Amino acid sequence: MRHVLSVLMENEPGVLSRISGLFSGRGFNIESINAAPTLEKGVTSMTITTIGDELILEQIVKQLRKLVSVIKVVDLTDIPAVEREMVLIKVAASDSRRAEIMRIVDIFRCKVVDVSIDEMVIEAIGDYGKIQAIFNLLQRYGIKEVARTGTVAMKRSMQTMEE
Amino acid sequence: MEISGARVLLECLIKEGVDVVFGFPGGAVIDIYDALPDYPIKHILVRHEQAAAHAADGYARASGRVGVCLVTSGPGATNTVTGIATAYCDSIPMVVFTGQVPSPLIGNDAFQEVDIVGITRPCTKHNYLVKDIKDLPRIIKEAFYLARTGRPGPVLVDVPKDVLQQKMRLKYPEGEPQMRSYNPNYKPNLNQLRKAMTLLAKAKRPLMYIGGGVIMADAHEQVMRLARACRVPVTATLMGLGAMPGDDPLFLGMLGMHGTYAANMAVYNCDLLLAVGARFDDRVTGKPGTFAAKAKIVHVDIDPTSIRKNVQVHVPVVSDCRLALEGMLGILADWDGQTDWEAKHAEWLAQTSEWAASHPLSYDRAASGPVKPQYVVETIYELTRGDAIITTEVGQNQMWAAQFYKFQRPRTLLTSGGLGTMGYGFPAAIGAQMAFPDRLVVDIAGDGSIQMNIQELVTVVWNRLPVKIVILNNGCLGMVRQWQELFYKGNYSSTCFEAQPDFVKLAASYGAKGFLVETTEQVAPVLREAFALDGPVVVDVRVTPGENVYPMVPSGASLSEMLLV
């Protein structure tokens, strides 16, 4: 099962390799990894998407917490959270196809950020499911290149509806 | 007054109470060596950096204090990696200082440059590259704190040469370091302890399975108190030997691949397994699905990652072993003698005793011909009355030492359990002897592994360390040869030595005393003489080639499927 982990850690040199080394050394999967500084000085936030069964996820979370540089680990899979990824998709767009592609861009509220005679670069933002859907739809026109940020995620604030 | 980074480092060691450092100089650490004679720190100059790491490790295991090792950059640093990994696998508190090329040269493939922080990331508890002299005192403070707290482990501090030469006014941080990302949990959850004790009260066939964590946490007395109070038999891992006296009636011996019949049968048949400070290593469990399959499992460990890593447990307790056991003893005291434990477990204890009596550890004592290696270990035990510090190399010598030396006290067996590092025992003995100059330290070695760090003979001679090395010399890499005999159709590929040094002459050339033992009658008198000598000794005992370690659970088999003698 796919899990999204949010990890806070000390922003020290080599901290990313501590995380990636842990995953490769113990044979855990990384689907995507995203790291950037937070507003708090010296703290980096990382979102890791990984795949594994319950026992493996338990080990991943525990092993991450064991790293001396890691401050906090939250598995966002089982709690209300927002998740987003941005992708740039270069898609083949001949004159005859362009209108159709534009319609998909509209439906998914994407943006065209670059265009040439026979290609378009589309910027899409969404959760895992939406991005997969866009890929599926654009596949038939010919996707030339993809650049992805990897997932970033955040726990939702208070859940008024459930209370 | 401003002092150099090298002096800052040494001052910090003094603040941490370090009195001995095992090391080897080189260009990147020459500033430290330049200042070293001004400080009350004994430096043991080894002849290979791997030995410095093992010696620091041996010092830590024997004394319970943090071992310290100091080496130069590049090859000096990489040579310690085996020693660091050895300490990491067995959770040994150790701080390794490596020199590094000057900061401006880092990344330029400078002479003797290596990314040792990168190399040791997976085999240290934590590691540091010091980029600014201002950070040096804090980092050293944290390094010692990390090494000895929580689940202990090795910490590496990489110090560039320019940092050692910069100057600062030293102010060593007071008190415990405050680290927001590191807060080891020591206290057990009382509810979990209650659950554990309730299971113990219900169990008919309980068994305690103790590991190195018990020794690390100084919890051996609590283990004995709980075992005796509730009449629970105890088995130990290799790392747990010594926590319970080897001849205690409740002690079943070591479990696992070369464990005793009684211990393995007890694991297989118990209905409650109380695991304390042990991590269900594959050499212990055999086939994990059949390990204690009839039992509820309580697992006490300070490291949450150890729990449910290899085996499913019913009651996890994340805590210091001693505090957990004290909590359990507290609950027991509250029950105030409601249970007649003696009667409750009489049948089970009769069963474990019967297993122990019917299949004791044994070998062919009546055999004529070459010396039996097991007899040598038994003789060492008898001559030392179980009071020596024993180190071992790795392989058959290690297993015979574990089986036939009845360890009486914790911290008397120093052995590379997790990593299985050949060449560990002799340098570890150097560390132990430094920690306890007046105690008898014996390295039970094989002729294969002793050659991996034999160069340290000059270290013990020069430093007048009266370490005794007893080589169980069977002319081969016995444990691998045993596997080849049992599982590889006797294809003894590269395990039987065609050439061997003359160990007696070798000892003599280093300035140590050497003895050759070729018959069983010679064993006791020669060992007695060797142990009485005030200096390092090598005893080359020619033992039966082809002698195997039994019982043996084939790799991946169930503990109930032991090959007996």
PDB file of all heavy atoms in Angstrom, chain B residues 369-387:
ATOM      1  N   GLY B 369      44.556 -39.404  20.956  1.00  0.00           N
ATOM      2  CA  GLY B 369      44.985 -38.580  19.827  1.00  0.00           C
ATOM      3  C   GLY B 369      45.015 -37.121  20.187  1.00  0.00           C
ATOM      4  O   GLY B 369      45.196 -36.758  21.350  1.00  0.00           O
ATOM      5  N   PRO B 370      44.827 -36.264  19.200  1.00  0.00           N
ATOM      6  CA  PRO B 370      45.033 -34.833  19.421  1.00  0.00           C
ATOM      7  C   PRO B 370      44.093 -34.268  20.481  1.00  0.00           C
ATOM      8  O   PRO B 370      43.082 -34.878  20.840  1.00  0.00           O
ATOM      9  CB  PRO B 370      44.732 -34.210  18.053  1.00  0.00           C
ATOM     10  CG  PRO B 370      44.741 -35.325  17.074  1.00  0.00           C
ATOM     11  CD  PRO B 370      44.425 -36.570  17.832  1.00  0.00           C
ATOM     12  N   VAL B 371      44.436 -33.101  20.939  1.00  0.00           N
ATOM     13  CA  VAL B 371      43.678 -32.434  21.995  1.00  0.00           C
ATOM     14  C   VAL B 371      42.303 -32.039  21.463  1.00  0.00           C
ATOM     15  O   VAL B 371      42.170 -31.568  20.333  1.00  0.00           O
ATOM     16  CB  VAL B 371      44.438 -31.161  22.446  1.00  0.00           C
ATOM     17  CG1 VAL B 371      43.687 -30.466  23.575  1.00  0.00           C
ATOM     18  CG2 VAL B 371      45.861 -31.493  22.855  1.00  0.00           C
ATOM     19  N   LYS B 372      41.272 -32.220  22.313  1.00  0.00           N
ATOM     20  CA  LYS B 372      39.943 -31.754  21.943  1.00  0.00           C
ATOM     21  C   LYS B 372      39.835 -30.265  22.287  1.00  0.00           C
ATOM     22  O   LYS B 372      40.132 -29.872  23.427  1.00  0.00           O
ATOM     23  CB  LYS B 372      38.871 -32.543  22.715  1.00  0.00           C
ATOM     24  CG  LYS B 372      38.752 -33.982  22.262  1.00  0.00           C
ATOM     25  CD  LYS B 372      38.065 -34.050  20.912  1.00  0.00           C
ATOM     26  CE  LYS B 372      37.973 -35.505  20.442  1.00  0.00           C
ATOM     27  NZ  LYS B 372      37.420 -35.573  19.076  1.00  0.00           N
ATOM     28  N   PRO B 373      39.411 -29.447  21.339  1.00  0.00           N
ATOM     29  CA  PRO B 373      39.323 -28.003  21.611  1.00  0.00           C
ATOM     30  C   PRO B 373      38.401 -27.684  22.788  1.00  0.00           C
ATOM     31  O   PRO B 373      38.666 -26.762  23.568  1.00  0.00           O
ATOM     32  CB  PRO B 373      38.781 -27.424  20.308  1.00  0.00           C
ATOM     33  CG  PRO B 373      38.217 -28.581  19.539  1.00  0.00           C
ATOM     34  CD  PRO B 373      38.988 -29.785  19.978  1.00  0.00           C
ATOM     35  N   GLN B 374      37.321 -28.462  22.920  1.00  0.00           N
ATOM     36  CA  GLN B 374      36.388 -28.217  24.026  1.00  0.00           C
ATOM     37  C   GLN B 374      37.096 -28.418  25.370  1.00  0.00           C
ATOM     38  O   GLN B 374      36.814 -27.699  26.334  1.00  0.00           O
ATOM     39  CB  GLN B 374      35.187 -29.177  23.942  1.00  0.00           C
ATOM     40  CG  GLN B 374      34.373 -29.057  22.651  1.00  0.00           C
ATOM     41  CD  GLN B 374      34.832 -30.049  21.585  1.00  0.00           C
ATOM     42  OE1 GLN B 374      36.005 -30.414  21.523  1.00  0.00           O
ATOM     43  NE2 GLN B 374      33.909 -30.468  20.729  1.00  0.00           N
ATOM     44  N   TYR B 375      38.006 -29.391  25.400  1.00  0.00           N
ATOM     45  CA  TYR B 375      38.734 -29.657  26.643  1.00  0.00           C
ATOM     46  C   TYR B 375      39.606 -28.455  27.023  1.00  0.00           C
ATOM     47  O   TYR B 375      39.755 -28.121  28.198  1.00  0.00           O
ATOM     48  CB  TYR B 375      39.600 -30.926  26.490  1.00  0.00           C
ATOM     49  CG  TYR B 375      40.517 -31.160  27.650  1.00  0.00           C
ATOM     50  CD1 TYR B 375      40.012 -31.615  28.872  1.00  0.00           C
ATOM     51  CD2 TYR B 375      41.891 -30.907  27.553  1.00  0.00           C
ATOM     52  CE1 TYR B 375      40.846 -31.808  29.957  1.00  0.00           C
ATOM     53  CE2 TYR B 375      42.736 -31.086  28.634  1.00  0.00           C
ATOM     54  CZ  TYR B 375      42.211 -31.538  29.839  1.00  0.00           C
ATOM     55  OH  TYR B 375      43.044 -31.719  30.926  1.00  0.00           O
ATOM     56  N   VAL B 376      40.159 -27.800  26.004  1.00  0.00           N
ATOM     57  CA  VAL B 376      41.008 -26.633  26.268  1.00  0.00           C
ATOM     58  C   VAL B 376      40.168 -25.538  26.933  1.00  0.00           C
ATOM     59  O   VAL B 376      40.575 -24.934  27.928  1.00  0.00           O
ATOM     60  CB  VAL B 376      41.637 -26.109  24.957  1.00  0.00           C
ATOM     61  CG1 VAL B 376      42.514 -24.888  25.235  1.00  0.00           C
ATOM     62  CG2 VAL B 376      42.450 -27.212  24.276  1.00  0.00           C
ATOM     63  N   VAL B 377      38.968 -25.296  26.381  1.00  0.00           N
ATOM     64  CA  VAL B 377      38.104 -24.255  26.955  1.00  0.00           C
ATOM     65  C   VAL B 377      37.691 -24.642  28.377  1.00  0.00           C
ATOM     66  O   VAL B 377      37.725 -23.811  29.293  1.00  0.00           O
ATOM     67  CB  VAL B 377      36.867 -24.016  26.055  1.00  0.00           C
ATOM     68  CG1 VAL B 377      35.936 -22.989  26.694  1.00  0.00           C
ATOM     69  CG2 VAL B 377      37.289 -23.548  24.671  1.00  0.00           C
ATOM     70  N   GLU B 378      37.329 -25.896  28.559  1.00  0.00           N
ATOM     71  CA  GLU B 378      36.955 -26.357  29.908  1.00  0.00           C
ATOM     72  C   GLU B 378      38.098 -26.150  30.892  1.00  0.00           C
ATOM     73  O   GLU B 378      37.883 -25.749  32.042  1.00  0.00           O
ATOM     74  CB  GLU B 378      36.595 -27.851  29.884  1.00  0.00           C
ATOM     75  CG  GLU B 378      35.174 -28.115  29.441  1.00  0.00           C
ATOM     76  CD  GLU B 378      34.823 -29.604  29.529  1.00  0.00           C
ATOM     77  OE1 GLU B 378      35.725 -30.473  29.538  1.00  0.00           O
ATOM     78  OE2 GLU B 378      33.620 -29.887  29.578  1.00  0.00           O
ATOM     79  N   THR B 379      39.317 -26.419  30.419  1.00  0.00           N
ATOM     80  CA  THR B 379      40.475 -26.264  31.305  1.00  0.00           C
ATOM     81  C   THR B 379      40.699 -24.791  31.639  1.00  0.00           C
ATOM     82  O   THR B 379      41.015 -24.446  32.778  1.00  0.00           O
ATOM     83  CB  THR B 379      41.736 -26.872  30.637  1.00  0.00           C
ATOM     84  OG1 THR B 379      41.430 -28.206  30.244  1.00  0.00           O
ATOM     85  CG2 THR B 379      42.912 -26.867  31.587  1.00  0.00           C
ATOM     86  N   ILE B 380      40.524 -23.931  30.633  1.00  0.00           N
ATOM     87  CA  ILE B 380      40.654 -22.493  30.904  1.00  0.00           C
ATOM     88  C   ILE B 380      39.629 -22.088  31.969  1.00  0.00           C
ATOM     89  O   ILE B 380      39.932 -21.338  32.891  1.00  0.00           O
ATOM     90  CB  ILE B 380      40.453 -21.664  29.613  1.00  0.00           C
ATOM     91  CG1 ILE B 380      41.556 -21.965  28.606  1.00  0.00           C
ATOM     92  CG2 ILE B 380      40.422 -20.164  29.922  1.00  0.00           C
ATOM     93  CD1 ILE B 380      41.344 -21.347  27.230  1.00  0.00           C
ATOM     94  N   TYR B 381      38.426 -22.624  31.833  1.00  0.00           N
ATOM     95  CA  TYR B 381      37.379 -22.310  32.815  1.00  0.00           C
ATOM     96  C   TYR B 381      37.784 -22.778  34.206  1.00  0.00           C
ATOM     97  O   TYR B 381      37.689 -22.023  35.184  1.00  0.00           O
ATOM     98  CB  TYR B 381      36.061 -22.961  32.398  1.00  0.00           C
ATOM     99  CG  TYR B 381      34.983 -22.865  33.459  1.00  0.00           C
ATOM    100  CD1 TYR B 381      34.479 -21.616  33.824  1.00  0.00           C
ATOM    101  CD2 TYR B 381      34.501 -23.999  34.097  1.00  0.00           C
ATOM    102  CE1 TYR B 381      33.512 -21.518  34.813  1.00  0.00           C
ATOM    103  CE2 TYR B 381      33.536 -23.893  35.078  1.00  0.00           C
ATOM    104  CZ  TYR B 381      33.045 -22.662  35.438  1.00  0.00           C
ATOM    105  OH  TYR B 381      32.092 -22.558  36.419  1.00  0.00           O
ATOM    106  N   GLU B 382      38.275 -23.984  34.278  1.00  0.00           N
ATOM    107  CA  GLU B 382      38.628 -24.506  35.593  1.00  0.00           C
ATOM    108  C   GLU B 382      39.794 -23.744  36.221  1.00  0.00           C
ATOM    109  O   GLU B 382      39.784 -23.426  37.398  1.00  0.00           O
ATOM    110  CB  GLU B 382      38.944 -26.002  35.508  1.00  0.00           C
ATOM    111  CG  GLU B 382      37.672 -26.838  35.628  1.00  0.00           C
ATOM    112  CD  GLU B 382      37.791 -28.188  34.941  1.00  0.00           C
ATOM    113  OE1 GLU B 382      38.925 -28.702  34.842  1.00  0.00           O
ATOM    114  OE2 GLU B 382      36.740 -28.707  34.481  1.00  0.00           O
ATOM    115  N   LEU B 383      40.795 -23.439  35.387  1.00  0.00           N
ATOM    116  CA  LEU B 383      41.965 -22.735  35.930  1.00  0.00           C
ATOM    117  C   LEU B 383      41.631 -21.323  36.374  1.00  0.00           C
ATOM    118  O   LEU B 383      42.254 -20.785  37.291  1.00  0.00           O
ATOM    119  CB  LEU B 383      43.078 -22.672  34.865  1.00  0.00           C
ATOM    120  CG  LEU B 383      43.745 -24.012  34.532  1.00  0.00           C
ATOM    121  CD1 LEU B 383      44.737 -23.820  33.393  1.00  0.00           C
ATOM    122  CD2 LEU B 383      44.450 -24.570  35.760  1.00  0.00           C
ATOM    123  N   THR B 384      40.663 -20.699  35.698  1.00  0.00           N
ATOM    124  CA  THR B 384      40.342 -19.304  36.027  1.00  0.00           C
ATOM    125  C   THR B 384      39.126 -19.216  36.941  1.00  0.00           C
ATOM    126  O   THR B 384      38.731 -18.118  37.306  1.00  0.00           O
ATOM    127  CB  THR B 384      40.050 -18.502  34.748  1.00  0.00           C
ATOM    128  OG1 THR B 384      38.932 -19.105  34.084  1.00  0.00           O
ATOM    129  CG2 THR B 384      41.237 -18.492  33.811  1.00  0.00           C
ATOM    130  N   ARG B 385      38.530 -20.332  37.267  1.00  0.00           N
ATOM    131  CA  ARG B 385      37.314 -20.402  38.074  1.00  0.00           C
ATOM    132  C   ARG B 385      36.247 -19.440  37.537  1.00  0.00           C
ATOM    133  O   ARG B 385      35.512 -18.816  38.285  1.00  0.00           O
ATOM    134  CB  ARG B 385      37.622 -20.115  39.545  1.00  0.00           C
ATOM    135  CG  ARG B 385      38.564 -21.136  40.167  1.00  0.00           C
ATOM    136  CD  ARG B 385      38.933 -20.797  41.594  1.00  0.00           C
ATOM    137  NE  ARG B 385      39.496 -19.466  41.748  1.00  0.00           N
ATOM    138  CZ  ARG B 385      40.760 -19.156  41.475  1.00  0.00           C
ATOM    139  NH1 ARG B 385      41.590 -20.078  41.024  1.00  0.00           N
ATOM    140  NH2 ARG B 385      41.193 -17.927  41.653  1.00  0.00           N
ATOM    141  N   GLY B 386      36.216 -19.280  36.252  1.00  0.00           N
ATOM    142  CA  GLY B 386      35.191 -18.435  35.631  1.00  0.00           C
ATOM    143  C   GLY B 386      35.383 -16.961  35.885  1.00  0.00           C
ATOM    144  O   GLY B 386      34.484 -16.152  35.648  1.00  0.00           O
ATOM    145  N   ASP B 387      36.579 -16.585  36.366  1.00  0.00           N
ATOM    146  CA  ASP B 387      36.765 -15.205  36.786  1.00  0.00           C
ATOM    147  C   ASP B 387      37.529 -14.364  35.761  1.00  0.00           C
ATOM    148  O   ASP B 387      37.716 -13.170  35.948  1.00  0.00           O
ATOM    149  CB  ASP B 387      37.523 -15.188  38.122  1.00  0.00           C
ATOM    150  CG  ASP B 387      37.412 -13.835  38.788  1.00  0.00           C
ATOM    151  OD1 ASP B 387      36.346 -13.210  38.660  1.00  0.00           O
ATOM    152  OD2 ASP B 387      38.403 -13.398  39.402  1.00  0.00           O
TER     153      ASP B 387
END
